[in-house]
Amino acid sequence: MNLTLFSSLDWLALAVFVASWLAYTLFADHSRWSDKSLTNRINVYRERWMMEMVTRDLRMIDTTILGNLMTGIAFFASTAMLILGGIIALLGNPTLVTQSIKHLPYAVDSSPVVWEFKVLLLALIFVYAFFKFAWAFRLTNYCNIMVGSAPVKEADPIKLEQHAKRATKLSCRAGHHFNRGLRAFFFGSAALAWMFHPLALMLASLVVVIVLYRREFSSTALLVLQD
């Protein structure tokens, strides 16, 4: 690939996109502020759920909830595959697509090589999302097995607590990977803006970061879940 086909504005836009994704991930998942996130708050309720689960006589409600979670994860995984199918179709006739896009207002004219790179970037993002959803689905399935293998409520309390903590860790890891998959969907939407203009990619990247921050750290849902 001839890298000189990319303008300096394209490289800047790509750098802003990657930096926005990495910076938000570090902030939301690995900084000292991550404890205040909606995901972290939900993890507290995941632990309460599993502690309640081991004290129940019948755990049908727990397996039903996990089944519903698996259905939601499977939906996003299949959606990622459908999106990938559409992205691959775009590679079939890059010249026709680029000719169509350049007639849109403010759209830049890209060579077929640059267009293919942009499409491949989109494909890479949604492949990543699919793998995250697939792993979240598998971990949730394992959590279902943990519910089924939980000792009876009359068992040793220490044993019950240990089992609940193991199930909690699996559930939290499933939520973590599901969250990463959703984040890829958001940034994949931002990457789509690059098809029109590098400035659109930069703007979309910043908008996605703001939206994700508001959802994760200052949403009404977070306030509701606080004790």
Side-chain angles (χ1 to χ4, degrees):
M1 180 183 294
N2 188 357
L3 298 181
T4 59
L5 293 174
F6 292 86
S7 67
S8 56
L9 191 59
D10 278 317
W11 287 116
L12 177 61
L14 183 60
V16 169
F17 172 76
V18 174
S20 298
W21 195 340
L22 291 177
Y24 182 79
T25 298
L26 290 173
F27 173 80
D29 298 341
H30 303 290
S31 72
R32 60 190 178 93
W33 292 281
S34 62
D35 291 340
K36 300 178 181 179
S37 69
L38 180 61
T39 298
N40 183 266
R41 194 63 200 160
I42 284 293
N43 287 342
V44 173
Y45 284 92
R46 288 179 189 269
E47 183 177 10
R48 293 182 186 179
W49 172 21
M50 292 305 160
M51 293 301 294
E52 289 290 331
M53 179 271 296
V54 295
T55 62
R56 288 195 241 273
D57 287 316
L58 298 175
R59 289 152 183 163
M60 292 294 293
I61 184 173
D62 305 294
T63 55
T64 300
I65 294 171
L66 285 166
N68 290 335
L69 290 175
M70 292 175 68
T71 300
I73 297 170
F75 168 79
F76 280 101
S78 60
T79 301
M81 292 303 295
L82 290 173
I83 293 172
L84 276 171
I87 291 171
I88 293 171
L90 289 177
L91 293 172
N93 197 338
T95 304
L96 178 61
V97 178
T98 53
Q99 290 294 323
S100 300
I101 287 184
K102 77 176 184 178
H103 293 299
L104 296 174
Y106 307 109
V108 295
D109 186 11
S110 299
S111 68
V113 174
V114 173
W115 167 262
E116 288 175 359
F117 179 85
K118 294 176 180 179
V119 173
L120 288 174
L121 175 64
L122 274 175
L124 181 63
I125 291 171
F126 286 99
V127 165
Y128 169 82
F130 171 76
F131 276 102
K132 285 297 180 182
F133 290 132
W135 186 233
F137 184 89
R138 192 172 182 180
L139 289 176
T140 305
N141 186 46
Y142 292 159
C143 191
N144 223 338
I145 294 172
M146 291 294 289
V147 171
S149 63
V152 295
K153 71 173 187 177
E154 293 81 12
D156 181 11
I158 295 178
K159 191 183 220 179
L160 289 172
E161 183 179 357
Q162 289 175 342
H163 194 90
K165 286 182 177 179
R166 292 190 184 101
T168 298
K169 288 180 180 178
L170 277 178
S171 180
C172 290
R173 291 309 298 171
H176 170 79
H177 288 284
F178 180 74
N179 195 35
R180 288 291 182 91
L182 284 179
R183 193 175 297 164
F185 267 43
F186 276 90
F187 279 100
S189 300
L192 185 63
W194 197 14
M195 303 294 181
F196 302 96
H197 200 284
L199 290 177
L201 174 61
M202 288 189 275
L203 179 61
S205 300
L206 297 177
V207 169
V208 164
V209 169
I210 293 171
V211 170
L212 288 175
Y213 174 81
R214 286 177 58 84
R215 296 289 183 270
E216 194 74 18
F217 293 93
S218 63
S219 64
T220 304
L222 179 61
L223 294 175
V224 169
L225 293 175
Q226 289 177 345
D227 291 333

